[in-house]
């Protein structure tokens, strides 16, 4: 069987048999402890400055961002953004309780459907799990309330993120995710809108994924309404 | 894929004479981009050590981590297909596609897929593979292999794109105008959206496999890989055995090196970790998740002087900085992996008898090693291949004779110095007043591309060295 043949060839190359139990134990322990390596100093900052770094890095990667003082203002910020970009007032939104609790009904002209995205959607609203200041990266783990297609199919992707969920380095976001349960099926780390440089090495935005990535950063500390 | 590495010399000569290719190759910018990204991260050099150490630790325990990884994949509801050879891997992919009743298969960019020749095999069996990375898409239309491991269409110009699209998308008005590059992109996006939504199976590669979680990781800027693995009912991951790393932290440290070395970005746009199939209550994602885990010659590198090559994270920095790649382009190398990493890997995977020219296609300037994020000693390994080539009598006779003569001289310091003094004296006399030779009998091929500086008066290095030591009173 190929499995044994491959493992056997590796062991022959390493000039040993299967690892002795105690060494296997050590390696299992290393995986369980998952030690961190060198973390760049860039993100070792007080939280307020991490948020500022997150914003600066996101904008350097062609993302846009608006800061709102509390969650109740998210629907209006979304509506204003769509109007400003000449986009239709229709969106597919993650069926996440934090997003569904927002006062969308105060905007009767905005049509909001809580579901996964389809190929015809122009605008999606996703729930941001964490922001990583080091490179202005969003962490978007899949879950029934956070479908992956919302990160990908619409030309305009909006992500609602609480400022309190901005961390410094990727490692901190991994630890949060580990604390929340088993590894989700899909974890996307998203840094800016989709792009390609395949034509003459010249950067163009909007390859297969969203052409625009807009983050609404909610300052309100603690759980939203 | 058909191998033309034995004709490297002819390939290179053709490349040098190809004006369109030279135009494309002249578009460099990758050095400056990498340099900027590296300069902005003061810890970069230390991270390179970390990256090397993580990979070395993994390779020293590769059997253990592969088994740990496979166990986790299966625990998450995925399937692992262990494949020793390219044949086995092709058969495994075909069987998964057949079981899924697939007619259309979308594909994310994957070098291992090129190595295995997956597309031809699917097509021969009545399944339509559609490459979705923009660069790979146009190469599929043109039926060309990639010329670069991260920018597969590096060798093409805008005219080539327009021509190919007009020729292939015949349902669109023939007189449509591509005002900007963006118009080309938009046409491809629309085309490929149809394929994404029609596909039954999506095949991606993997930049990393994580033993701790059983995840496969892809890194892209376009988002095509994500659509490939999210929309179809079945997701197949093609990955070679050396892609495994122990933990998310290990992977993260390598990711800090990858994008900076590859494109000069701090981080790629999409770095995605996939673990198993759709979970209950999920609204999207594939219902089946398969990993085709491929050896195809790699386990035989473990424990040899080529083991370090298995650290490679396929960033392409070595080819971006290679003076030979910079003038020949990737196709001249004649197989899947071009540039310095290909010159080391190709002989390992297809045999030095077919690829002996590649380790010789180097000026040994050392730039590749100086930028490699995991510090692979590429020039040293090319030298190992040259030694093996010589041992196996694959080196042409005139070259063997010249090497033999040089070896004889090198072992006799007195004769060597005399010969050096004579040669230098003659060249110095001939070259007096002109500074450099632009032509040299017997070396016209060499001087066509560069000048040979004429030796300056003052004697050989050893003569000067001896004089200076005497002068210093020792
Ligand atoms: S050999 Fe080093 S520089 Fe070249 S592709 Fe591999 S990791 Fe990158």
């Amino acid at each position: 069987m190929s499995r044994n043949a491959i493992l056997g060839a590796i062991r022959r190359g390493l000039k040993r048999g299967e690892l002795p139990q105690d060494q296997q134990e050590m390696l299992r322990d290393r995986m369980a402890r998952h030690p961190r390596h060198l973390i760049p100093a860039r993100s070792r900052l007080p939280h307020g400055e991490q948020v500022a770094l997150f914003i600066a890095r996101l904008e350097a990667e062609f993302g846009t961002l608006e800061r709102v003082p509390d969650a109740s203002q998210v629907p209006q910020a979304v509506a204003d953004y769509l109007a400003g970009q000449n986009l239709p007032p229709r969106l597919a939104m993650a069926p996440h309780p934090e997003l569904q609790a927002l006062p969308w009904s105060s905007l009767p002209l905005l049509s909001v459907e809580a579901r996964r995205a389809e190929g015809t959607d122009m605008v999606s609203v996703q729930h941001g799990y964490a922001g990583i200041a080091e490179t202005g990266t969003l962490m978007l783990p899949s879950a029934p309330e956070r479908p992956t297609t919302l990160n990908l199919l619409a030309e305009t992707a909006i992500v609602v993120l609480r400022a309190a969920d901005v961390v410094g380095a990727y490692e901190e976001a991994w630890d949060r995710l580990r604390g929340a349960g088993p590894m989700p099926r899909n974890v996307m780390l998203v840094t800016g809108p989709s792009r390609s440089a395949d034509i003459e090495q010249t950067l163009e935005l909007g390859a297969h994924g969203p052409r625009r990535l807009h983050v609404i950063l909610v300052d309100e500390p603690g759980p939203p309404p | 894929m058909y191998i033309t590495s034995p004709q490297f010399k002819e390939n290179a000569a053709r490349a040098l004479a190809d004006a369109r290719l030279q135009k494309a190759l002249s578009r460099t910018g990758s050095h400056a981009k990498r340099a900027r990204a590296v300069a902005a991260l003061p810890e970069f050099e230390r991270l390179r050590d970390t990256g090397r150490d993580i990979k070395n630790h993994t390779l020293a325990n590769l059997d253990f981590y592969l088994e740990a990884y496979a166990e986790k994949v299966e625990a998450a509801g995925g399937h692992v297909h262990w494949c020793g050879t390219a044949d086995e891997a092709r058969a495994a992919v075909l069987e998964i596609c057949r079981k899924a009743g697939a007619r259309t298969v979308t594909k994310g960019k994957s070098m291992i897929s090129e190595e295995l020749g997956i597309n031809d095999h699917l097509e021969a069996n009545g399944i339509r593979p559609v490459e979705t990375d923009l660069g790979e898409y146009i190469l599929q239309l043109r039926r060309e292999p990639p010329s670069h491991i991260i920018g597969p269409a590096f060798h093409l110009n805008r005219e080539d794109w327009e021509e190919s699209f007009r020729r292939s998308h015949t349902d669109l008005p023939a007189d449509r105008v591509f005002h900007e590059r963006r118009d080309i992109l938009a046409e491809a996006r629309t085309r490929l959206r149809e394929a994404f939504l029609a596909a039954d199976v999506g095949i991606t590669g993997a930049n990393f496999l994580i033993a701790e979680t059983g995840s496969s990781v892809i890194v892209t800027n376009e988002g095509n890989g994500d659509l490939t693995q999210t929309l179809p009912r079945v997701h197949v991951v093609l990955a070679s055995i050396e892609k495994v790393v122990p933990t998310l932290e290990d992977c993260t440290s390598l990711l800090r090196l990858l994008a900076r070395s590859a494109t000069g970005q701090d981080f790629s746009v999409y770095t995605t970790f996939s673990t198993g199939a759709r979970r209950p209550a999920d609204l999207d994602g594939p219902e089946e998740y398969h990993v085709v885990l491929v050896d195809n010659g790699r386990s035989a590198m473990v424990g040899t002087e080529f083991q370090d090559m298995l650290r490679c994270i396929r960033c392409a920095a070595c080819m971006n900085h290679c003076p030979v790649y910079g003038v020949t382009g990737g196709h001249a190398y004649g197989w899947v992996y071009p540039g310095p990493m290909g010159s080391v890997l190709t002989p390992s995977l297809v045999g030095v008898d077919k690829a002996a020219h590649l380790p010789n296609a180097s000026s040994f300037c050392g730039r590749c090693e100086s930028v490699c994020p995991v510090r692979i000693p590429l020039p040293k390994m090319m030298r190992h291949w040259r030694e093996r080539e010589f041992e196996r009598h694959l080196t042409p006779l005139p070259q063997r004779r010249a090497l033999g003569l040089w070896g004889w001289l090198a072992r006799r310091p007195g004769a060597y110095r005399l010969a050096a003094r004579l040669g230098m004296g003659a060249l110095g006399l001939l070259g007096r007043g002109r500074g450099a030779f632009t032509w040299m009998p017997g070396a016209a091929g060499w001087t066509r591309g560069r000048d040979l500086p004429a030796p300056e008066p003052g004697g050989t290095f050893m003569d000067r060295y001896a004089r200076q030591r005497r002068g210093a009173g020792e």
Side-chain angles (χ1 to χ4, degrees), chain A residues 66 76-89 156 212 214:
Chain A
E66 185 182 348
Q76 190 62 52
V78 170
D80 291 347
Y81 175 76
L82 296 185
Q85 299 289 332
N86 267 325
L87 289 164
T156 301
R212 299 188 197 85
H214 185 65

Side-chain angles (χ1 to χ4, degrees), chain B residues 262-311:
Chain B
T263 52
Q265 288 168 285
D266 278 4
F267 218 58
S268 300
V269 178
Y270 301 110
T271 302
T272 305
F273 299 69
S274 299
T275 313
R278 184 190 284 216
R279 308 278 161 86
D282 270 357
L283 302 180
D284 51 24
E287 286 157 33
E288 284 177 38
Y289 175 83
H290 298 265
V291 181
V292 175
L293 194 58
V294 187
D295 181 345
N296 205 29
R298 282 145 180 97
S299 62
M301 293 165 70
V302 174
T304 70
E305 63 262 62
F306 302 109
Q307 175 171 317
D308 289 347
M309 193 60 220
L310 297 173
R311 293 205 296 264

Side-chain angles (χ1 to χ4, degrees), chain B residues 56-232:
Chain B
N56 280 348
H57 168 81
T58 314
L59 290 170
N61 300 289
L62 187 58
D63 52 336
F64 172 86
Y65 283 121
L66 284 172
E67 290 202 277
Y69 163 75
E71 205 176 288
K72 285 287 181 180
V73 174
E74 279 152 14
H79 306 272
V80 181
H81 309 257
W82 299 72
C83 298
T85 62
D87 274 338
E88 284 176 41
R90 281 190 291 262
V93 172
L94 181 61
E95 194 188 310
I96 297 166
C97 292
R98 279 204 174 132
K99 275 203 184 132
R103 282 188 300 185
T104 302
V105 171
T106 41
K107 297 195 55 226
K109 206 185 97 50
S110 154
M111 292 311 297
I112 186 91
S113 168
E114 301 286 340
E115 179 184 324
L116 301 171
I118 294 293
N119 287 3
D120 288 348
H121 191 62
L122 290 178
E123 261 176 293
N125 287 280
I127 296 169
R128 179 173 77 114
V130 182
E131 292 289 349
T132 64
D133 171 89
L134 202 56
E136 291 282 353
Y137 176 64
I138 191 174
L139 296 184
Q140 191 179 23
L141 296 182
R142 297 168 66 90
R143 302 216 147 256
E144 282 177 19
S147 68
H148 188 279
I149 62 172
I150 61 164
F154 194 70
H155 59 288
L156 297 180
N157 299 299
R158 187 175 152 176
E159 309 83 88
D160 303 315
W161 286 82
E162 297 190 8
E163 263 170 41
S164 301
F165 276 27
R166 272 186 223 288
R167 198 161 12 88
S168 305
H169 303 159
T170 46
D171 53 327
L172 295 173
D175 56 353
R176 66 192 182 284
V177 186
F178 296 101
H179 293 285
E180 295 175 62
R181 291 190 192 85
R182 187 175 313 148
D183 301 329
I184 304 174
L185 185 68
E187 186 168 312
R189 181 182 164 115
T190 313
R191 252 319 124 107
L192 288 165
R193 262 306 156 93
E194 295 155 18
F196 281 127
L197 298 168
D200 312 288
V201 174
I203 301 179
T204 67
N207 291 81
F208 302 99
L209 305 172
I210 301 178
E212 174 199 357
T213 55
S215 311
S216 55
V217 184
I218 60 166
V219 178
T220 76
N221 279 325
E222 296 182 7
N224 64 308
D226 286 283
L227 288 165
T228 300
Q229 65 186 15
T230 302
L231 298 178

Side-chain angles (χ1 to χ4, degrees), chain B residues 5 109-112 115 146-150 240 242-243 258 298 301 306 308-325 330 333 335-350 355 358-359 361-362 367-369 371-382 385:
Chain B
S5 307
K109 206 185 97 50
S110 154
M111 292 311 297
I112 186 91
E115 179 184 324
S147 68
H148 188 279
I149 62 172
I150 61 164
S240 48
E242 81 282 14
K243 299 286 174 192
L258 178 59
R298 282 145 180 97
M301 293 165 70
F306 302 109
D308 289 347
M309 193 60 220
L310 297 173
R311 293 205 296 264
C312 176
I313 57 173
R314 306 284 190 271
C315 72
C318 55
M319 61 199 74
N320 289 342
H321 289 75
C322 176
V324 177
Y325 180 95
Y333 290 79
W335 198 54
V336 181
Y337 302 104
M341 57 81 70
S343 297
V344 175
L345 193 59
T346 304
S348 302
L349 300 183
V350 306
L358 303 185
S362 163
R367 274 167 94 178
C368 48
E369 182 175 357
V371 294
C372 175
V374 284
R375 300 197 189 282
I376 299 175
L378 293 154
K380 188 175 100 189
M381 286 191 285
M382 285 187 241
W385 276 125

